[in-house]
Structures are given as C-alpha cells and as structure tokens.
Amino acid sequence: MSNQIILPSREMPTKWYNLVSELLPDNPPAPPMNARTNQPAGPEDLIPIFPMGVLEQEMSPERWIDIPEEVLEILSIWRPTPLVRARRLEEYLGTPAKIYYKNESVSPPGSHKPNTAVAQAYYNKREGIKNITTETGAGQWGSALSFACNMFGINCLVYMVKVSYEQKPYRKSLMHVWNGEVIPSPSNTTNSGRRVLEMDPDCPGSLGIAISEAVEAAFADEKTKYSLGSVLNHVMLHQTIIGLESIKQFEQIDDYPDVVIGCVGGGSNMAGFTFPFLGQRMRGEAKKPGIRVVAVEPTACPTLTKGVYAYDFGDQAQMTPAMLMYTLGHDFIPAGIHAGGLRYHGDSPLLSKMVNEKEVEAVAYHQNECYEAAVTFARTEGLLPAPETSHAIRAAIDEALKCKETGETKTIAFNYSGHGHFDLAGYDNYLDGKLVDYAYPEEAIRKSMANLPKITPPSMKK
Amino acid sequence: MSNQIILPSREMPTKWYNLVSELLPDNPPAPPMNARTNQPAGPEDLIPIFPMGVLEQEMSPERWIDIPEEVLEILSIWRPTPLVRARRLEEYLGTPAKIYYKNESVSPPGSHKPNTAVAQAYYNKREGIKNITTETGAGQWGSALSFACNMFGINCLVYMVKVSYEQKPYRKSLMHVWNGEVIPSPSNTTNSGRRVLEMDPDCPGSLGIAISEAVEAAFADEKTKYSLGSVLNHVMLHQTIIGLESIKQFEQIDDYPDVVIGCVGGGSNMAGFTFPFLGQRMRGEAKKPGIRVVAVEPTACPTLTKGVYAYDFGDQAQMTPAMLMYTLGHDFIPAGIHAGGLRYHGDSPLLSKMVNEKEVEAVAYHQNECYEAAVTFARTEGLLPAPETSHAIRAAIDEALKCKETGETKTIAFNYSGHGHFDLAGYDNYLDGKLVDYAYPEEAIRKSMANLPKITPPSMKK
C-alpha cells in the first residue's frame, strides 16, 4: 500500500562504487591531456586546483572506495533518500508499466548535488584549504557547495551563470544564508570574464565561462581550491550512493528496473543513479541482464546526441586539461533554457565513453515537452520537479507510453534529481504559453566545433 | 551515527488520536455557539459549509479514529516523515541537551498542511462535493489544499491574505501548477471583502478576513464547501499522525522528550505534534511524566500570551459560530510579519482550553530573534525553515541554552512544520538588517476586544 520504499538508516551504503573498475585493464578511460604539451595531464596540472584526496579518487582503479565517517554523518541528515512508486502517474498514463523515482530532492539544497559537495568539502578541509571556488548554472550546485563548505567552515565563492542569476534570485539568497558569496558570470573579477564581456557585454553566460572564472580564481591563492559539481570521475563516484541505495530498495520489494533514466548536464546525477546498475549488467550480475540505461538532455544543448566524441576543454577559456568526451565545442553558448544545470557544452568523459560504446542510450527533448511532463508529474504525484529533472520525467513517461502500446509490464526508474521550488518563473511561463522552444543550434555548434584543440589521442589499448 | 530516525512504512499509524477523549466525561470542551440565538451551534449551522464526514470527527468523543485507506495511500507518498537529531545545532550551542526535529517539510507542498488537506478533500469527494473554498496566510495551506483537491479532482478556490500574496508570488504559482485558483484578500468578489475594502482600500488583509470571504463563497452553492486548515478539532485530529509517528520514532532510539514544542497560528501543527504526547501524560502513560508542552507564537499576534479566553468568531465578518478560545478579537489585523501563517486573531479552542488549564505553556517571540534562530539552524543543520517554523526553533534553542546553564541533559523535540523555500525575501531582509520588529499591538488589541460577541457560556460541568 505504501508508495515510499524506505531504506533503514543502518542499510545506508558505506562505500562508493567506481565504474572505471569494470573497464580495467583492457579498456581504460582515455587520460586527460595537456593541450600545450600534447602529453597526458600529470598531477602537476591538477594539484593547483584539486586536493589530493579527490585526485586519488579521480585516478582510482578500485571498485569500492570507503565513504569517510565524517561524510556519512552529514549525509545521514537526509539519506537514505526514498524510492517512490509513482502509482498515480501510472494510472493517469494508463500504462501497465511500473514507474519508480529516487527522490534526491529531500536534501537541504534540494538536489543530489550535496552528495559530492560534502565529500569534496571534507577532503579540502582535511588538507587545510580555506576557500573553494566554483561555478553554478541554475544554482543547485552553488547552493549545495555553499551548504557543504559552511558545514566545514570553508569560504565558498560561486560564479553563477548570469541568465540563471537573473531568473532565480532566490537561489542566490539561499547561498547567502549558507555563507556563500555569489558573483554573476561573466564578471569583471577575472581575466577570462573580462575577455568575454569585451566581446559581448550582454553575454548570458555559460557553464564553460563560469568554470574558467572559478578555476582562474582558484589559481590565485594556495589556500584556495576549485570544486567541480559534475563531469569528473570523482564526482560520478560520490554520486553512486544514489544508485547503490536504489538497488537495495528494489531488493526490498523484490523488483528490478528494465530501464534506468537520468537527465544529463555534466552527467553526475545520471551516472550516480545508473552506474551501479550498469556495473551489475557489465559484470553479468544484473537481475535483468537487458536493463537499459538512458541519458536525457535538452535539444538546446544536445551534447550526447549531436556532439562529437573528441578531446576538448572543460571550460571556455581553455584553462582545464582537455578530456575525451562528447562536446559541442568549448565556445558553445547554449540558449537560455530554464534547465540551467543542463547547459554544458561537454559531458562526463566516463559517461561519454559509455555512450560511445553503446552501453548507454541518449535522447534529447525540447523544454516545452519537458515542462508538460513536469506539470503532469506535479498534478499526479504532487512533487514539483526542477526543470532539469523534467527531462528524466519526460523520458520515463515516454517509456511508459511505449509499454501502453505494447502491453509490456516493464519497471521504469528515474532519478528525481531535484525540486523546482526556485524555478516557478519557468512554470509560470509554461502555463502562460510563453515558453520558447529553441531550434537545434546547428550553426553555433558548427562554429564552435572549429575551435576544438588539436590533440593526438594516446592509444587506448595496452 | 545516523541523524535520521526513519520509521518503516509498515509502522505508519493507521488511526488518528483525539485529545477530546481525555477530557470526557468530566471536562468537555465548550460547544461552539450561535451568536444570534445564544444557543449551542447545531449541525444546521455547520452542514452548509462542512461535509458530514468531517463534522462527525469535529464532535467525536472517540480516542482513536481510523484513517481511511485512500488517505493513507496518498500520505504514504511522503510519510512516515523523518525524525532527525540536530547534532550540529547542539554542538554549535554547546548544550548538553539533545535536540530532535520532526521534519514535516518533505511533503510536496512543503509543510504539515497536507495531512489534513488530503483527509478533508477525501471526505468532500465522498459526499459529491465539486468545489472547495479556503483562505491562506503565507500560502502553505492554500497550496496544500490545491494539491489535495487536485488529487481528488475537486476545484479549489483560495483567498490568499494580500500581504502574503505580494510577498510570496511563487506560492501562487505553485497553487496554479496544482490547478488551484488564487484571489488576493480582501477582494471585491465577496460582500465581506468589499466591506473591508470600502473602509481601507490598502488593507493588507488577515486570516480572519480571508476566512469570511471563503465561507461566504461556500454558502453560494450546495456543491461547494469550505475547508479550514487549522483551529477546528478535526484538523487537530488529522495532524496527530505527526506526533504518533514521533512517539514510535522515539521508541526506536529508546528516548523520550522532556519538552515538545510547536509554533502556533491556529494551532494545528503544534497540536498534531504534541497532543499524542500530552495525551500520554494526561493518562499517566508518558515515559517522562513531567513532559512539558510549549506553544510558540509571534509577539505581533500574541493570542495565547496576551489574548483573552472568551467566545469569539473565527472570522472577521462574524460568519462562523462563536468559539471559546484565546482571542485578540475578530477585528484584529496583525502587522505584516513574514510568518503569515501565524497571523490569526484566535486559536484552536482545544489548544486554548489546554493553555487555559495550564496543560500547555505559551511563549511569544519577535521576528528578528526567530530569523536569527532560523539562520543558525540553516547554518548548522542545513535545512532552511519557514518563518513560522522559526518560532519553534527559537524556543527549542532557548530551552537548549537553559540546559547549558543548568547542565541538564534534556531531550528537546520540536515540529519542523515547513520549509522556507518560498520565503527567501524575508531572509534577504533579515540578512540585510532591514527586518522590522513590531511592538506589542496594545492599542489595536484593546479596540478589537471591545467588539467581542456577548455570549452566555453554557455550563461546562455536568
């Protein structure tokens, strides 16, 4: 009868899961490259910006990595999170499928983001770091890192993509409550920001530009490091607690998904939810060996579905090492869709590799069809989704509607990555019929692609 | 190590608890009175506005009342809610006390309100009602009822106190997502609204005025009923699931509170959380026989601490029966504090009786000291409280600080009634030092008190 599947506190996972372990030794991830030297990036490229605890995890071949006690203790304020059966949505759709969502919106900042923010703040604190810089799109990551830094007494400086800064003023207020400092990006506080503003004073900003600003600010001081809320291996790792809990919750009800779905900006919530299932499939241990894994992105920023699989920079100003990933080019500035967290030109190299090897499927949607799914969800299940999350809901609904046609009783599960309590301006626009769908940005992508770095990829095979 | 105390789904209470049962037969609650006839209000006074299922509960002498299966099923989307140990807050305060909060903010509308909204919508649906009208202060109740009505396919019309309507535009958006219709009150859609606007076109509104408008609208049509989010016995009843879960959660960890605390507007979250504990004490079954029960209200609307215990109307236009309660007079319009849900001239008659008989203590706080407590809570525990909830936090912190002085290791528990995700304008004002503390409204109360109805109370003793 109950819709929530609740995991007892004692069942909370105490180790993270590392998908890289499934690829070794025969199919290792491509290394990040120093574009200047055309050599694999060494620790010296990353030590100025990341603490060692995090860098070790970035490179780790281990399958299981202990979650520090201090991190678990903070996560236990809201974890384990509920897995919930969406019965009312199923009934509304008239589907024979079962739909489940993992509710990550119950965290204090309202999304999955603190799963890695708390871990990263912990490793920085352990190494004596006093300040952390970062970027944020819609504000979920910036508020999560402000929250986590505040827990450890670290100062947090957030470069927030300007279009979101203006659309979502209360995300900024929330960061202020948690002692975070917030600067709209592009800003005139960094060289990279000033360069962008000279070219286009009205630039709406992008995650790529905001990353450049945050990385530049971190280089300025040795007690200051940078923190990234997605993309990198250690972030995917920290998020796997989502999927690991979900697997236990499905065991409780003796079910298992046929398909697991997540929305993708940099990939972290999608990877965190799905990689533990994917690992089971790759090891031949999945209860349903054919379990599908689906990544959902916006048509306005179609990295996985329309990008190229190539080495590119993580940021606009080319300050990061180059990584092999799906990319639209580091110069690409996506249209100002409300799902600010999905406006990223690249994607997690690990997730990109899985897409490239057909382990993971990718689909793209326009924002109006996603808002339609979000409103349907809110009117059936009650919860108000973040615009990012609405992409996963759209895909889950479409999977359920396919089951309605075929009569299949599949189990569909998606990650409910965050709530939309700070995104009601977007809902107002949608309900008023004023929301724009942006055409596939063909010309902008073509231009941006011309600026990919020239990297000679090292051989991947041993 | 875990901070959350999670109740398994199978442990969710299946009956509500009725505190009235402890008072019978010797000390029954005073009946509502028809002020025109000076006789106890009969069903004929209430049937036009409430469904029978609800009226039966309003008058019920039973200790335990079954929660309908259909109601439980919807509540199970987010219930049982977590009880959480506030370890970081304890450490910050340096108190030997243990502090726990019951987290009602995880519901879709973000507060305890849907516990009764779902039940009331259910009983209305069962009796063929098509439309429900209501009032709302800060918007928590209006959004909860919109959510619940939407679940049962009932239209919901919400009169929202104008000052909150303007302070919190996104609460209105949220109601729209759930198909609710929202009108700022006082409005020109009712006679009572028009009368107020004639006297004062800039009237900020009050819950008393909004109730008049909603009740008037419900009288207009026999398929339309009215729903009240607090004050009445059946609402207190529906909220007891909070305290009943909490008792089980304290059993899990073999602890029991020395003091239970809730903020009070009409009294429902406070009663819902504390009455099951109070009932245990009154029956001599409390694990700590001296458990204290504390109600917290704003100084700007000091009903329990400065009001009189007298018969008064529930609404400004005198449309409701008169009830024996603490009141500041039905004409009293509180200052526009951010805790809009606490701006009510009266209080639950049942809670008022408990305060009058010294079973429950009452305290009042200014909004700045409450915001200070809220920010302290957000910076230690992470969660961002509603301004209403901040009153309970203030009182809990003060109890913990008393323990610091005396060295007592008390267990303090409060109801975390709702989140403040739609209240960040208030936080901005507080952090900018712009938040006003209103003086005790002595003159306004004196004036309003002169208009209390002349009721001859029936003898309470058998």
Side-chain angles (χ1 to χ4, degrees):
Chain A
M1 179 223 61
S2 180
N3 291 305
Q4 275 196 95
I5 297 110
I6 298 178
L7 198 65
S9 299
R10 64 176 180 283
E11 295 278 328
M12 195 159 123
T14 56
K15 293 174 193 296
W16 289 304
Y17 167 70
N18 183 9
L19 186 75
V20 171
S21 63
E22 314 297 344
L23 307 174
L24 300 178
D26 295 334
N27 183 22
M33 295 286 284
N34 182 321
R36 207 167 20 79
T37 62
N38 204 12
Q39 293 296 318
E44 67 283 4
D45 293 304
L46 295 168
I47 284 174
I49 53 174
F50 291 116
M52 276 310 296
V54 155
L55 283 181
E56 280 166 23
Q57 294 176 348
E58 188 62 23
M59 318 290 186
S60 174
E62 301 298 326
R63 178 167 292 157
W64 298 103
I65 296 177
D66 284 336
I67 308 178
E69 194 61 36
E70 294 86 339
V71 172
L72 278 175
E73 201 267 331
I74 294 178
L75 298 184
S76 83
I77 295 175
W78 70 93
R79 301 207 76 88
T81 63
L83 180 75
V84 189
R85 171 94 182 261
R87 281 183 213 274
R88 237 157 245 86
L89 177 60
E90 295 166 14
E91 282 164 26
Y92 172 81
L93 298 173
T95 179
K98 283 181 282 185
I99 306 174
Y100 292 88
Y101 58 95
K102 177 69 169 167
N103 187 357
E104 288 295 301
S105 76
V106 295
S107 77
S111 78
H112 66 290
K113 291 288 189 187
N115 296 329
T116 185
V118 171
Q120 293 193 50
Y122 165 78
Y123 290 113
N124 275 289
K125 180 71 178 184
R126 212 181 55 175
E127 297 176 28
I129 297 308
K130 303 290 185 203
N131 314 289
I132 299 181
T133 67
T134 198
E135 75 294 331
T136 197
Q140 294 273 23
W141 170 243
S143 45
L145 193 66
S146 297
F147 157 78
C149 285
N150 180 69
M151 285 276 177
F152 288 102
I154 297 171
N155 299 313
C156 185
L157 175 63
V158 181
Y159 288 90
M160 184 169 186
V161 174
K162 196 183 277 169
V163 58
S164 293
Y165 183 91
E166 284 159 5
Q167 276 172 349
K168 299 172 188 180
Y170 291 137
R171 272 280 166 197
K172 175 188 57 181
S173 312
L174 188 57
M175 292 184 246
H176 286 165
V177 171
W178 287 320
N179 285 312
E181 188 183 342
V182 193
I183 297 175
S185 166
S187 78
N188 57 18
T189 68
T190 64
N191 291 327
S192 39
R194 280 186 291 269
R195 273 200 301 273
V196 173
L197 287 174
E198 275 164 29
M199 311 255 292
D200 178 7
D202 299 322
C203 175
S206 71
L207 280 169
I209 295 169
I211 293 173
S212 295
E213 295 206 89
V215 170
E216 187 181 328
F219 270 118
D221 176 331
E222 68 172 13
K223 290 290 181 203
T224 302
K225 299 272 184 190
Y226 165 73
S227 170
L228 189 62
S230 193
V231 178
L232 298 178
N233 292 351
H234 66 271
V235 182
M236 307 297 125
L237 178 79
H238 298 156
Q239 293 294 356
T240 55
I241 194 168
I242 305 172
L244 295 169
E245 284 180 7
S246 303
I247 286 174
K248 290 185 179 202
Q249 285 162 314
F250 275 111
E251 277 169 11
Q252 264 189 37
I253 53 170
D254 201 20
D255 200 348
Y256 194 84
D258 292 276
V259 53
V260 282
I261 299 167
C263 64
V264 173
S268 76
N269 95 73
M270 190 273 171
F273 178 55
T274 65
F275 279 5
F277 291 98
L278 179 58
Q280 288 190 326
R281 191 185 76 193
M282 293 170 82
R283 293 195 302 278
E285 293 172 6
K287 280 193 199 160
K288 295 183 181 171
I291 178 176
R292 291 166 49 223
V293 181
V294 178
V296 193
E297 62 183 11
T299 307
C301 191
T303 319
L304 295 173
T305 53
K306 300 280 188 180
V308 294
Y309 190 53
Y311 268 96
D312 195 6
F313 300 103
D315 70 316
Q316 192 270 343
Q318 314 183 7
M319 302 188 69
T320 70
M323 296 171 291
L324 181 59
M325 60 182 177
Y326 281 95
T327 179
L328 300 168
H330 57 272
D331 282 338
F332 178 72
I333 297 182
I337 55 171
H338 281 276
L342 307 187
R343 295 176 70 249
Y344 186 57
H345 70 275
D347 256 320
S348 152
L350 191 53
L351 172 61
S352 294
K353 184 173 169 67
M354 294 298 96
V355 170
N356 188 247
E357 295 175 6
K358 313 270 190 255
E359 300 281 358
V360 170
E361 304 164 34
V363 290
Y365 286 107
H366 284 293
Q367 65 177 347
N368 268 298
E369 55 194 338
C370 292
Y371 269 94
E372 186 204 8
V375 168
T376 297
F377 188 80
R379 288 181 178 170
T380 51
E381 291 299 308
L383 294 170
L384 185 87
E388 291 81 2
T389 310
S390 73
H391 291 70
I393 299 174
R394 177 75 265 166
I397 287 178
D398 285 358
E399 291 286 339
L401 291 175
K402 271 188 251 165
C403 289
K404 186 179 181 177
E405 280 178 28
T406 61
E408 288 169 294
T409 57
K410 284 188 181 168
T411 297
I412 298 163
F414 68 89
N415 194 31
Y416 187 82
S417 56
H419 64 61
H421 298 170
F422 298 97
D423 307 292
L424 277 154
Y427 280 91
D428 282 349
N429 284 341
Y430 170 73
L431 291 174
D432 292 347
K434 291 181 185 160
L435 207 62
V436 176
D437 276 339
Y438 298 95
Y440 164 59
E442 200 164 358
E443 177 63 15
I445 293 173
R446 201 186 50 74
K447 268 195 190 161
S448 172
M449 291 293 195
N451 295 329
L452 291 185
K454 308 287 177 283
I455 303 270
T456 318
S459 166
M460 288 306 98
K461 296 283 177 187
K462 288 216 170 176
Chain B
M1 181 224 59
S2 179
N3 292 305
Q4 275 198 91
I5 297 110
I6 297 178
L7 199 64
S9 299
R10 64 177 181 281
E11 295 277 327
M12 195 160 123
T14 56
K15 293 172 192 292
W16 290 304
Y17 167 70
N18 183 9
L19 186 75
V20 171
S21 64
E22 313 297 344
L23 307 174
L24 302 177
D26 295 334
N27 184 21
M33 297 285 284
N34 181 320
R36 207 167 21 78
T37 63
N38 203 12
Q39 294 296 317
E44 67 283 4
D45 292 303
L46 295 169
I47 284 174
I49 53 174
F50 291 116
M52 275 311 295
V54 156
L55 282 180
E56 279 165 23
Q57 293 176 349
E58 187 63 24
M59 318 289 186
S60 174
E62 301 299 324
R63 178 166 293 158
W64 298 103
I65 296 177
D66 284 336
I67 309 177
E69 194 61 36
E70 295 87 338
V71 172
L72 278 175
E73 201 268 331
I74 294 178
L75 298 185
S76 82
I77 294 175
W78 70 93
R79 304 206 73 89
T81 63
L83 180 74
V84 189
R85 172 94 181 261
R87 281 182 214 272
R88 241 158 242 82
L89 177 60
E90 295 166 13
E91 280 163 28
Y92 173 82
L93 298 173
T95 178
K98 283 182 282 186
I99 305 175
Y100 292 88
Y101 58 95
K102 176 70 168 166
N103 187 358
E104 289 294 301
S105 76
V106 296
S107 77
S111 78
H112 65 291
K113 291 288 189 187
N115 296 329
T116 185
V118 171
Q120 293 192 50
Y122 165 79
Y123 290 113
N124 275 289
K125 180 70 177 183
R126 210 181 57 174
E127 298 175 27
I129 297 307
K130 304 289 184 204
N131 314 289
I132 299 182
T133 67
T134 198
E135 75 293 332
T136 197
Q140 294 272 23
W141 170 244
S143 46
L145 193 66
S146 297
F147 157 79
C149 284
N150 180 68
M151 286 275 177
F152 288 102
I154 298 171
N155 299 314
C156 185
L157 175 63
V158 181
Y159 288 90
M160 185 170 186
V161 174
K162 196 182 279 171
V163 59
S164 293
Y165 183 91
E166 286 160 3
Q167 276 173 349
K168 298 170 189 182
Y170 290 138
R171 272 281 168 198
K172 175 188 60 181
S173 312
L174 188 57
M175 292 185 246
H176 286 164
V177 171
W178 286 321
N179 285 312
E181 188 183 340
V182 192
I183 298 176
S185 166
S187 78
N188 57 17
T189 67
T190 64
N191 291 327
S192 39
R194 281 186 290 269
R195 273 200 301 273
V196 173
L197 287 174
E198 276 165 29
M199 310 254 293
D200 176 7
D202 299 323
C203 176
S206 71
L207 281 168
I209 296 169
I211 292 173
S212 294
E213 295 206 87
V215 170
E216 188 182 326
F219 270 118
D221 176 331
E222 67 172 16
K223 289 290 180 202
T224 301
K225 298 271 185 190
Y226 165 73
S227 170
L228 188 63
S230 193
V231 178
L232 298 178
N233 292 351
H234 66 272
V235 182
M236 307 297 126
L237 178 80
H238 298 157
Q239 293 293 357
T240 56
I241 194 167
I242 305 172
L244 295 169
E245 284 181 6
S246 302
I247 286 174
K248 290 185 179 201
Q249 284 161 315
F250 275 112
E251 278 169 10
Q252 265 189 37
I253 53 169
D254 200 22
D255 199 348
Y256 194 85
D258 292 275
V259 53
V260 284
I261 299 168
C263 64
V264 173
S268 76
N269 96 73
M270 190 272 171
F273 178 55
T274 65
F275 279 6
F277 290 98
L278 179 58
Q280 288 191 326
R281 190 183 77 193
M282 293 170 83
R283 294 195 303 277
E285 293 172 7
K287 279 194 199 159
K288 294 184 180 171
I291 179 177
R292 291 165 50 221
V293 181
V294 178
V296 193
E297 63 183 11
T299 308
C301 192
T303 318
L304 295 172
T305 52
K306 300 282 188 177
V308 295
Y309 189 53
Y311 268 96
D312 196 6
F313 299 104
D315 70 315
Q316 193 269 344
Q318 314 184 6
M319 301 188 70
T320 70
M323 295 170 291
L324 181 59
M325 60 183 176
Y326 280 94
T327 180
L328 300 168
H330 57 273
D331 283 338
F332 178 72
I333 297 182
I337 54 171
H338 281 275
L342 307 187
R343 295 176 70 249
Y344 186 57
H345 70 275
D347 256 320
S348 152
L350 190 54
L351 173 60
S352 294
K353 184 173 169 69
M354 293 298 95
V355 171
N356 187 247
E357 296 175 5
K358 313 270 190 253
E359 299 281 359
V360 170
E361 306 165 32
V363 290
Y365 285 107
H366 284 292
Q367 67 178 348
N368 268 297
E369 56 194 338
C370 292
Y371 269 94
E372 187 205 7
V375 168
T376 296
F377 188 80
R379 288 182 178 169
T380 52
E381 291 300 309
L383 295 170
L384 185 88
E388 292 80 2
T389 309
S390 74
H391 290 71
I393 299 174
R394 176 76 263 167
I397 287 178
D398 285 358
E399 291 286 340
L401 291 175
K402 271 188 249 165
C403 289
K404 187 179 181 177
E405 280 179 27
T406 62
E408 288 169 294
T409 57
K410 284 185 180 169
T411 297
I412 298 164
F414 68 90
N415 194 31
Y416 188 82
S417 56
H419 63 62
H421 298 171
F422 298 97
D423 306 293
L424 277 155
Y427 280 91
D428 283 347
N429 283 341
Y430 170 73
L431 292 174
D432 293 347
K434 290 180 185 161
L435 206 62
V436 177
D437 276 339
Y438 299 94
Y440 164 60
E442 199 164 0
E443 178 61 16
I445 293 173
R446 202 185 52 72
K447 267 192 187 163
S448 172
M449 290 292 197
N451 295 331
L452 290 185
K454 308 286 178 284
I455 303 271
T456 317
S459 167
M460 289 306 98
K461 297 282 177 190
K462 288 218 168 166

